[in-house]
Amino acid sequence: MSSQTQLNTARRSRFALRWYYWLLLVVAAGYGLAYAMHWDDRGLLWVRERFESPAERTASVWLPDYRVVIDAKLLPGMEKDEASDLSYDPQSKTLFSVMGKNPFLVELTLQGDVLRKMPLVGWINPEGVTVMGNGLLAIVDEREHMLSIVKVDANTRELKRDDFPKYDLGPSKNQNKAFEAITWDARNQRLLLGEERPPALFTWKSDGSQTLTGDKQKLPNDELDIRNLSALAIDPRTGHTLVLSADSHLLLELDEKGEQVSFMTLLGGFNGLKQTIPRAEGVTMDEAGTLYMVSEPNLFYRFEKQK
């Protein structure tokens, strides 16, 4: 074999080796991304969804059937306020949202129009809000690890935290990614609380007043295969829990046993979305099954189920 032939063979061998290493790198990166985004779990759930009977789908929220009807509507004047959560009030037929960066409570119509803004005096980083009924709202301050139950009526223009009962939520595994989500579970007379990272669920009993009883209890749940937990909501019709993850761009439906039933991807091109929801931080549902979301910095979404 000539020296030129040997040189060409060596070059091809080095090229093939480099190509092999690059292929391994791409495969490893792809696997890491799939693992981080839980695409394997989503794939399994997608397969399970295919085998759900019509009766089982009817008895659930069934998120795959939802399509956006208000897509990324701007909340005016809130570009720097960071919309952090959302809750539906069945008595006023309006929505309440908290802003985490510049603390205030805002009341919205079901079309995402602003009705009023109420400064939250004394709160540092309000990240969660839920309507409990009879004018009571529970607000979670993530940085302070504090839960407050406030009273809001038609004349409320400002809220001062020291005027209302406060409850210490205690330490979290990750103090900077602590309690962020909250929703009122009317059927079971309890608040459902969510830690952001690692995702975890807790309950705290209440009779629907400003008084909580006992201590918060952790719910065992191995179905929270999401990167973080941003918000919670309860479907008033089925009692199923909706779990929102901003980092995973995902909304999960869990049944009464905490098992996954369905999911919705919040990426552009899915469920009618023109673009990916940047950072979904709040979710709620009304008695008709209409779904509402807010995303940082100041975006509003409304989803309706296709008949």
Side-chain angles (χ1 to χ4, degrees):
M1 182 183 294
S2 67
S3 59
Q4 183 63 42
T5 302
Q6 290 177 334
L7 181 60
N8 290 339
T9 301
R11 286 175 176 172
R12 284 197 297 270
S13 297
R14 288 196 297 271
F15 174 78
L17 190 60
R18 286 197 298 270
W19 179 85
Y20 177 73
Y21 283 143
W22 276 111
L23 179 61
L24 285 178
L25 183 61
V26 169
V27 170
Y31 176 81
L33 180 61
Y35 179 81
M37 296 297 290
H38 297 279
W39 287 345
D40 52 344
D41 298 309
R42 297 289 76 76
L44 289 174
L45 182 54
W46 183 86
V47 171
R48 284 167 52 189
E49 285 182 344
R50 304 311 92 177
F51 292 96
E52 295 281 356
S53 68
E56 289 172 322
R57 295 186 182 195
T58 302
S60 69
V61 177
W62 202 251
L63 294 170
D65 286 348
Y66 278 79
R67 293 294 179 273
V68 69
V69 293
I70 299 179
D71 192 350
K73 180 176 181 176
L74 292 174
L75 298 176
M78 303 183 200
E79 296 81 3
K80 300 180 180 180
D81 296 319
E82 295 185 357
S84 295
D85 201 5
L86 192 66
S87 186
Y88 171 71
D89 188 338
Q91 293 177 309
S92 63
K93 309 295 182 186
T94 60
L95 302 165
F96 286 91
S97 180
V98 286
M99 302 294 134
K101 189 172 183 179
N102 298 306
F104 64 87
L105 179 72
V106 59
E107 187 175 11
L108 306 168
T109 70
L110 302 185
Q111 304 299 320
D113 298 318
V114 177
L115 294 173
R116 56 175 167 163
K117 298 178 183 179
M118 294 158 275
L120 295 174
V121 180
W123 280 269
I124 305 299
N125 184 223
E127 289 285 341
V129 64
T130 188
V131 174
M132 300 176 65
N134 298 315
L136 295 180
L137 282 77
I139 300 175
V140 167
D141 190 313
E142 184 180 24
R143 192 171 303 169
E144 295 286 293
H145 301 264
M146 191 75 66
L147 186 158
S148 305
I149 301 179
V150 306
K151 181 79 173 179
V152 176
D153 59 31
N155 298 316
T156 301
R157 294 295 176 265
E158 181 182 83
L159 293 165
K160 296 181 179 179
R161 196 177 73 170
D162 289 343
D163 292 342
F164 303 101
K166 298 182 289 293
Y167 297 89
D168 186 357
L169 292 172
S172 299
K173 289 185 178 179
N174 187 335
Q175 291 291 86
N176 295 321
K177 300 292 181 181
F179 287 94
E180 178 164 336
I182 187 170
T183 190
W184 171 240
D185 183 357
R187 290 189 180 192
N188 297 300
Q189 289 291 286
R190 64 184 186 178
L191 287 167
L192 184 62
L193 295 151
E195 276 188 311
E196 181 181 3
R197 188 178 294 141
L201 295 175
F202 295 79
T203 62
W204 205 330
K205 297 294 290 185
S206 171
D207 59 1
S209 70
Q210 290 178 296
T211 302
L212 301 182
T213 57
D215 298 317
K216 72 178 192 299
Q217 303 293 325
K218 187 172 184 178
L219 287 179
N221 193 301
D222 57 1
E223 298 286 321
L224 294 176
D225 48 356
I226 48 179
R227 297 177 65 195
N228 81 315
L229 196 162
S230 301
L232 295 166
I234 299 287
D235 174 19
R237 305 160 305 160
T238 64
H240 288 190
T241 303
L242 300 176
V243 182
L244 184 65
S245 173
D247 289 350
S248 297
H249 297 291
L250 194 72
L251 181 66
L252 281 178
E253 176 189 1
L254 307 180
D255 64 15
E256 297 92 332
K257 298 178 181 179
E259 296 179 356
Q260 294 183 15
V261 178
S262 69
F263 74 98
M264 182 167 71
T265 299
L266 307 179
L267 300 175
F270 291 88
N271 298 85
L273 290 167
K274 293 180 180 179
Q275 295 181 330
T276 297
I277 298 180
R279 187 162 187 83
E281 291 286 343
V283 64
T284 192
M285 180 172 277
D286 65 22
E287 65 274 355
T290 304
L291 189 66
Y292 308 88
M293 286 188 201
V294 288
S295 169
E296 292 181 357
N298 62 327
L299 302 177
F300 176 85
Y301 299 81
R302 173 173 166 149
F303 295 81
E304 295 179 2
K305 193 170 186 178
Q306 291 185 329
K307 303 299 182 181

